[in-house]
Amino acid sequence: MKRAAARAADIHALAKALPYVTAYDPDSTTPVYQVGGKSFVFFRTPRPDAVDPVTGERYDDVVVFWVPDLAAKEALVQDPSTPFFTTPHFDGHPSVLLRLSRVGELSRAELAEVIEDAWLSRASARRGRLYLEGPDRITG
């Protein structure tokens, strides 16, 4: 059975499906998804720290996902089977980056797990507990 490849639209759908989420600039190319006033997924504008190594052009399709801790970050960016990366700008920051052009390298289920972990890392303990105990988890 072939796994369903993730799409950029899945990032938005999954983030919005989580409870207590506020989307800022949802109709822009760089929306920010927050829980309790804390960002957990956001789309970046091109920056000098994320560039194509061949052309030197700034990536214009980078998404940032919070992770639970630096160990989780290292696990994702060091695993050659994932498309996640980081830049020196994010050294010491519990987040990973993903180019939208590579989102299809993840399954929708894998993407849901990353987004759920991002949300849990930023939600209050009470909200996280209620979500985990409830029936509406995005990781099914």
Side-chain angles (χ1 to χ4, degrees):
M1 184 167 167
K2 187 172 170 147
R3 65 187 188 132
R7 300 170 301 128
D10 292 330
I11 296 171
H12 304 285
L14 290 164
K16 289 176 187 177
L18 290 160
Y20 311 106
V21 169
T22 303
Y24 290 94
D25 274 339
D27 297 324
S28 76
T29 58
T30 56
V32 177
Y33 295 99
Q34 293 186 337
V35 58
K38 298 177 182 177
S39 300
F40 67 97
V41 173
F42 71 90
F43 292 70
R44 284 186 12 155
T45 56
R47 295 182 41 95
D49 66 307
V51 298
D52 184 292
V54 175
T55 67
E57 293 291 320
R58 293 179 183 185
Y59 293 145
D60 62 358
D61 64 343
V62 175
V63 185
V64 180
F65 300 88
W66 257 255
V67 293
D69 54 40
L70 293 177
K73 173 183 184 161
E74 289 304 311
L76 286 171
V77 299
Q78 295 299 321
D79 182 347
S81 72
T82 76
F84 296 103
F85 70 102
T86 191
T87 67
H89 178 76
F90 286 92
D91 284 352
H93 191 272
S95 61
V96 294
L97 309 176
L98 172 70
R99 293 194 63 206
L100 282 177
S101 61
R102 297 189 64 191
V103 72
E105 295 175 35
L106 299 170
S107 69
R108 191 174 194 280
E110 290 167 328
L111 180 63
E113 185 177 329
V114 170
I115 292 173
E116 183 178 80
D117 285 348
W119 185 90
L120 287 166
S121 73
R122 305 295 282 166
S124 68
R126 179 182 171 280
R127 286 178 174 176
R129 185 180 69 257
L130 290 172
Y131 170 74
L132 290 172
E133 293 169 354
D136 297 324
R137 293 195 48 189
I138 63 169
T139 54

PDB file of all heavy atoms in Angstrom, residues 121-140:
ATOM      1  N   SER A 121       4.375  21.221  21.785  1.00  0.00           N
ATOM      2  CA  SER A 121       5.539  21.883  22.382  1.00  0.00           C
ATOM      3  C   SER A 121       5.243  23.332  22.753  1.00  0.00           C
ATOM      4  O   SER A 121       5.975  23.927  23.545  1.00  0.00           O
ATOM      5  CB  SER A 121       6.747  21.808  21.446  1.00  0.00           C
ATOM      6  OG  SER A 121       6.592  22.676  20.345  1.00  0.00           O
ATOM      7  N   ARG A 122       4.184  23.910  22.221  1.00  0.00           N
ATOM      8  CA  ARG A 122       3.858  25.314  22.466  1.00  0.00           C
ATOM      9  C   ARG A 122       2.557  25.513  23.244  1.00  0.00           C
ATOM     10  O   ARG A 122       2.343  26.570  23.824  1.00  0.00           O
ATOM     11  CB  ARG A 122       3.773  26.054  21.128  1.00  0.00           C
ATOM     12  CG  ARG A 122       5.028  25.930  20.267  1.00  0.00           C
ATOM     13  CD  ARG A 122       6.229  26.585  20.882  1.00  0.00           C
ATOM     14  NE  ARG A 122       6.112  28.014  20.661  1.00  0.00           N
ATOM     15  CZ  ARG A 122       6.823  28.932  21.275  1.00  0.00           C
ATOM     16  NH1 ARG A 122       7.702  28.595  22.167  1.00  0.00           N
ATOM     17  NH2 ARG A 122       6.643  30.206  21.019  1.00  0.00           N
ATOM     18  N   ALA A 123       1.691  24.521  23.253  1.00  0.00           N
ATOM     19  CA  ALA A 123       0.422  24.626  23.981  1.00  0.00           C
ATOM     20  C   ALA A 123       0.663  24.525  25.481  1.00  0.00           C
ATOM     21  O   ALA A 123       1.677  23.960  25.932  1.00  0.00           O
ATOM     22  CB  ALA A 123      -0.542  23.522  23.525  1.00  0.00           C
ATOM     23  N   SER A 124      -0.273  25.032  26.256  1.00  0.00           N
ATOM     24  CA  SER A 124      -0.174  24.893  27.704  1.00  0.00           C
ATOM     25  C   SER A 124      -0.288  23.414  28.068  1.00  0.00           C
ATOM     26  O   SER A 124      -0.826  22.600  27.295  1.00  0.00           O
ATOM     27  CB  SER A 124      -1.285  25.681  28.395  1.00  0.00           C
ATOM     28  OG  SER A 124      -2.553  25.092  28.123  1.00  0.00           O
ATOM     29  N   ALA A 125       0.205  23.061  29.228  1.00  0.00           N
ATOM     30  CA  ALA A 125       0.136  21.669  29.684  1.00  0.00           C
ATOM     31  C   ALA A 125      -1.313  21.192  29.742  1.00  0.00           C
ATOM     32  O   ALA A 125      -1.614  20.056  29.356  1.00  0.00           O
ATOM     33  CB  ALA A 125       0.812  21.527  31.047  1.00  0.00           C
ATOM     34  N   ARG A 126      -2.203  22.044  30.218  1.00  0.00           N
ATOM     35  CA  ARG A 126      -3.618  21.677  30.311  1.00  0.00           C
ATOM     36  C   ARG A 126      -4.206  21.410  28.928  1.00  0.00           C
ATOM     37  O   ARG A 126      -4.872  20.398  28.711  1.00  0.00           O
ATOM     38  CB  ARG A 126      -4.402  22.783  31.020  1.00  0.00           C
ATOM     39  CG  ARG A 126      -5.881  22.492  31.147  1.00  0.00           C
ATOM     40  CD  ARG A 126      -6.622  23.665  31.832  1.00  0.00           C
ATOM     41  NE  ARG A 126      -8.037  23.481  31.752  1.00  0.00           N
ATOM     42  CZ  ARG A 126      -8.799  23.755  30.695  1.00  0.00           C
ATOM     43  NH1 ARG A 126      -8.254  24.248  29.599  1.00  0.00           N
ATOM     44  NH2 ARG A 126     -10.093  23.549  30.711  1.00  0.00           N
ATOM     45  N   ARG A 127      -3.970  22.312  28.001  1.00  0.00           N
ATOM     46  CA  ARG A 127      -4.500  22.117  26.644  1.00  0.00           C
ATOM     47  C   ARG A 127      -3.899  20.874  25.999  1.00  0.00           C
ATOM     48  O   ARG A 127      -4.601  20.124  25.320  1.00  0.00           O
ATOM     49  CB  ARG A 127      -4.219  23.344  25.783  1.00  0.00           C
ATOM     50  CG  ARG A 127      -5.105  24.511  26.127  1.00  0.00           C
ATOM     51  CD  ARG A 127      -4.799  25.725  25.306  1.00  0.00           C
ATOM     52  NE  ARG A 127      -5.781  26.772  25.577  1.00  0.00           N
ATOM     53  CZ  ARG A 127      -5.728  27.981  25.060  1.00  0.00           C
ATOM     54  NH1 ARG A 127      -4.757  28.317  24.226  1.00  0.00           N
ATOM     55  NH2 ARG A 127      -6.642  28.870  25.365  1.00  0.00           N
ATOM     56  N   GLY A 128      -2.619  20.667  26.197  1.00  0.00           N
ATOM     57  CA  GLY A 128      -1.972  19.477  25.647  1.00  0.00           C
ATOM     58  C   GLY A 128      -2.574  18.196  26.204  1.00  0.00           C
ATOM     59  O   GLY A 128      -2.855  17.250  25.456  1.00  0.00           O
ATOM     60  N   ARG A 129      -2.799  18.172  27.517  1.00  0.00           N
ATOM     61  CA  ARG A 129      -3.370  16.984  28.154  1.00  0.00           C
ATOM     62  C   ARG A 129      -4.780  16.719  27.630  1.00  0.00           C
ATOM     63  O   ARG A 129      -5.120  15.580  27.275  1.00  0.00           O
ATOM     64  CB  ARG A 129      -3.373  17.165  29.673  1.00  0.00           C
ATOM     65  CG  ARG A 129      -3.829  15.934  30.433  1.00  0.00           C
ATOM     66  CD  ARG A 129      -3.825  16.133  31.946  1.00  0.00           C
ATOM     67  NE  ARG A 129      -4.871  17.076  32.352  1.00  0.00           N
ATOM     68  CZ  ARG A 129      -4.679  18.347  32.694  1.00  0.00           C
ATOM     69  NH1 ARG A 129      -3.462  18.853  32.721  1.00  0.00           N
ATOM     70  NH2 ARG A 129      -5.685  19.128  33.039  1.00  0.00           N
ATOM     71  N   LEU A 130      -5.607  17.773  27.558  1.00  0.00           N
ATOM     72  CA  LEU A 130      -6.976  17.607  27.059  1.00  0.00           C
ATOM     73  C   LEU A 130      -6.985  17.099  25.616  1.00  0.00           C
ATOM     74  O   LEU A 130      -7.786  16.237  25.250  1.00  0.00           O
ATOM     75  CB  LEU A 130      -7.742  18.926  27.163  1.00  0.00           C
ATOM     76  CG  LEU A 130      -8.094  19.372  28.578  1.00  0.00           C
ATOM     77  CD1 LEU A 130      -8.670  20.786  28.559  1.00  0.00           C
ATOM     78  CD2 LEU A 130      -9.061  18.392  29.231  1.00  0.00           C
ATOM     79  N   TYR A 131      -6.100  17.641  24.802  1.00  0.00           N
ATOM     80  CA  TYR A 131      -6.016  17.209  23.405  1.00  0.00           C
ATOM     81  C   TYR A 131      -5.615  15.735  23.319  1.00  0.00           C
ATOM     82  O   TYR A 131      -6.234  14.955  22.586  1.00  0.00           O
ATOM     83  CB  TYR A 131      -5.019  18.089  22.651  1.00  0.00           C
ATOM     84  CG  TYR A 131      -4.692  17.561  21.278  1.00  0.00           C
ATOM     85  CD1 TYR A 131      -5.610  17.672  20.237  1.00  0.00           C
ATOM     86  CD2 TYR A 131      -3.475  16.944  21.020  1.00  0.00           C
ATOM     87  CE1 TYR A 131      -5.307  17.177  18.975  1.00  0.00           C
ATOM     88  CE2 TYR A 131      -3.170  16.463  19.765  1.00  0.00           C
ATOM     89  CZ  TYR A 131      -4.099  16.569  18.745  1.00  0.00           C
ATOM     90  OH  TYR A 131      -3.811  16.063  17.513  1.00  0.00           O
ATOM     91  N   LEU A 132      -4.584  15.356  24.064  1.00  0.00           N
ATOM     92  CA  LEU A 132      -4.093  13.972  24.006  1.00  0.00           C
ATOM     93  C   LEU A 132      -5.121  12.981  24.523  1.00  0.00           C
ATOM     94  O   LEU A 132      -5.166  11.830  24.074  1.00  0.00           O
ATOM     95  CB  LEU A 132      -2.787  13.845  24.778  1.00  0.00           C
ATOM     96  CG  LEU A 132      -1.580  14.531  24.143  1.00  0.00           C
ATOM     97  CD1 LEU A 132      -0.385  14.516  25.098  1.00  0.00           C
ATOM     98  CD2 LEU A 132      -1.218  13.917  22.814  1.00  0.00           C
ATOM     99  N   GLU A 133      -5.961  13.410  25.450  1.00  0.00           N
ATOM    100  CA  GLU A 133      -7.006  12.538  26.009  1.00  0.00           C
ATOM    101  C   GLU A 133      -8.259  12.505  25.138  1.00  0.00           C
ATOM    102  O   GLU A 133      -9.114  11.644  25.315  1.00  0.00           O
ATOM    103  CB  GLU A 133      -7.379  12.993  27.413  1.00  0.00           C
ATOM    104  CG  GLU A 133      -6.258  12.803  28.429  1.00  0.00           C
ATOM    105  CD  GLU A 133      -6.534  13.484  29.758  1.00  0.00           C
ATOM    106  OE1 GLU A 133      -7.559  14.225  29.891  1.00  0.00           O
ATOM    107  OE2 GLU A 133      -5.735  13.296  30.686  1.00  0.00           O
ATOM    108  N   GLY A 134      -8.382  13.447  24.212  1.00  0.00           N
ATOM    109  CA  GLY A 134      -9.587  13.575  23.404  1.00  0.00           C
ATOM    110  C   GLY A 134      -9.600  12.694  22.176  1.00  0.00           C
ATOM    111  O   GLY A 134      -8.611  12.040  21.820  1.00  0.00           O
ATOM    112  N   PRO A 135     -10.720  12.706  21.478  1.00  0.00           N
ATOM    113  CA  PRO A 135     -10.906  11.837  20.314  1.00  0.00           C
ATOM    114  C   PRO A 135     -10.463  12.448  18.976  1.00  0.00           C
ATOM    115  O   PRO A 135     -10.504  11.752  17.962  1.00  0.00           O
ATOM    116  CB  PRO A 135     -12.427  11.630  20.305  1.00  0.00           C
ATOM    117  CG  PRO A 135     -12.953  12.934  20.825  1.00  0.00           C
ATOM    118  CD  PRO A 135     -11.955  13.379  21.876  1.00  0.00           C
ATOM    119  N   ASP A 136     -10.069  13.713  18.976  1.00  0.00           N
ATOM    120  CA  ASP A 136      -9.859  14.412  17.705  1.00  0.00           C
ATOM    121  C   ASP A 136      -8.397  14.662  17.360  1.00  0.00           C
ATOM    122  O   ASP A 136      -8.053  15.709  16.820  1.00  0.00           O
ATOM    123  CB  ASP A 136     -10.622  15.743  17.720  1.00  0.00           C
ATOM    124  CG  ASP A 136     -12.118  15.528  17.842  1.00  0.00           C
ATOM    125  OD1 ASP A 136     -12.623  14.541  17.271  1.00  0.00           O
ATOM    126  OD2 ASP A 136     -12.773  16.329  18.527  1.00  0.00           O
ATOM    127  N   ARG A 137      -7.540  13.701  17.612  1.00  0.00           N
ATOM    128  CA  ARG A 137      -6.127  13.885  17.311  1.00  0.00           C
ATOM    129  C   ARG A 137      -5.903  13.848  15.794  1.00  0.00           C
ATOM    130  O   ARG A 137      -6.530  13.061  15.087  1.00  0.00           O
ATOM    131  CB  ARG A 137      -5.298  12.798  17.982  1.00  0.00           C
ATOM    132  CG  ARG A 137      -5.350  12.977  19.496  1.00  0.00           C
ATOM    133  CD  ARG A 137      -4.356  12.253  20.256  1.00  0.00           C
ATOM    134  NE  ARG A 137      -3.007  12.375  19.758  1.00  0.00           N
ATOM    135  CZ  ARG A 137      -2.010  11.634  20.229  1.00  0.00           C
ATOM    136  NH1 ARG A 137      -2.241  10.751  21.173  1.00  0.00           N
ATOM    137  NH2 ARG A 137      -0.816  11.771  19.752  1.00  0.00           N
ATOM    138  N   ILE A 138      -5.012  14.692  15.311  1.00  0.00           N
ATOM    139  CA  ILE A 138      -4.736  14.721  13.856  1.00  0.00           C
ATOM    140  C   ILE A 138      -3.863  13.550  13.432  1.00  0.00           C
ATOM    141  O   ILE A 138      -3.725  13.296  12.239  1.00  0.00           O
ATOM    142  CB  ILE A 138      -4.126  16.062  13.413  1.00  0.00           C
ATOM    143  CG1 ILE A 138      -2.765  16.300  14.061  1.00  0.00           C
ATOM    144  CG2 ILE A 138      -5.096  17.213  13.662  1.00  0.00           C
ATOM    145  CD1 ILE A 138      -1.981  17.480  13.475  1.00  0.00           C
ATOM    146  N   THR A 139      -3.265  12.862  14.387  1.00  0.00           N
ATOM    147  CA  THR A 139      -2.439  11.696  14.048  1.00  0.00           C
ATOM    148  C   THR A 139      -3.248  10.414  14.079  1.00  0.00           C
ATOM    149  O   THR A 139      -2.686   9.333  13.951  1.00  0.00           O
ATOM    150  CB  THR A 139      -1.234  11.589  15.002  1.00  0.00           C
ATOM    151  OG1 THR A 139      -1.690  11.581  16.351  1.00  0.00           O
ATOM    152  CG2 THR A 139      -0.266  12.731  14.785  1.00  0.00           C
ATOM    153  N   GLY A 140      -4.532  10.546  14.234  1.00  0.00           N
ATOM    154  CA  GLY A 140      -5.497   9.489  14.083  1.00  0.00           C
ATOM    155  C   GLY A 140      -5.390   8.323  14.957  1.00  0.00           C
ATOM    156  O   GLY A 140      -5.798   7.279  14.878  1.00  0.00           O
TER     157      GLY A 140
END
